[in-house]
Amino acid sequence: MSTMMKSEATATGGLQVLQPSGWPQPKGYANGIMADGRLVVTGGVVGWDSAGRFADGFVAQVRQTLENIVAILAEGGARPDHLVRLTWYVVDMDEYTANLKALGKAYREVVGTHYPSMALVQVVRLVEPSARVEIEATAVVPR
């Protein structure tokens, strides 16, 4: 492995956070995670409740989406700290960036301070017309 690609890996709960040496520390996500265990994958999850009603507003939808992901993970025997990847799809990037502080607070209240690898993509629209955000999650439950 070249010096540039050496990882400053930190083990947390059976997962290993991958941080190449010399790279700036990411805020609110990880550059990469290595894990060994049972895979739990969600589809695209949106911010509606069990009756199919969407939460009012972007941050409220994100909170509900994260709560829905945690519920799905629990069905597979996984916890939020087993997350290795989240892919966020938003219909308005400006809406996301304008709410970073509130989003961070909601994330920490639902998921905690575990930050998996993440990607954020703006899309033209989502399948559910009322949805402002859709998130796919991947977790690995350690052996």
Side-chain angles (χ1 to χ4, degrees), residues 38-136:
R38 191 177 72 250
L39 196 63
V40 179
V41 179
T42 73
V45 180
V46 294
W48 57 19
D49 63 16
S50 59
R53 293 181 304 256
F54 278 91
D56 189 27
F58 182 72
V59 175
Q61 280 197 25
V62 168
R63 175 185 292 279
Q64 184 64 55
T65 301
L66 293 171
E67 289 173 356
N68 293 347
I69 287 169
V70 169
I72 294 166
L73 293 178
E75 287 294 312
R79 302 185 312 260
D81 60 314
H82 295 142
L83 286 166
V84 296
R85 182 171 185 78
L86 293 174
T87 303
W88 297 51
Y89 302 94
V90 298
V91 294
D92 185 345
M93 189 66 71
D94 292 334
E95 187 173 42
Y96 176 88
T97 57
N99 288 288
L100 288 175
K101 189 171 185 174
L103 289 170
K105 183 176 188 274
Y107 180 93
R108 288 185 301 278
E109 288 173 359
V110 177
V111 177
T113 57
H114 171 67
Y115 303 106
S117 300
M118 292 191 213
L120 174 66
V121 181
Q122 180 174 313
V123 295
V124 173
R125 70 164 289 217
L126 298 166
V127 171
E128 294 296 331
S130 297
R132 307 295 303 157
V133 61
E134 186 171 320
I135 302 174
E136 296 175 327

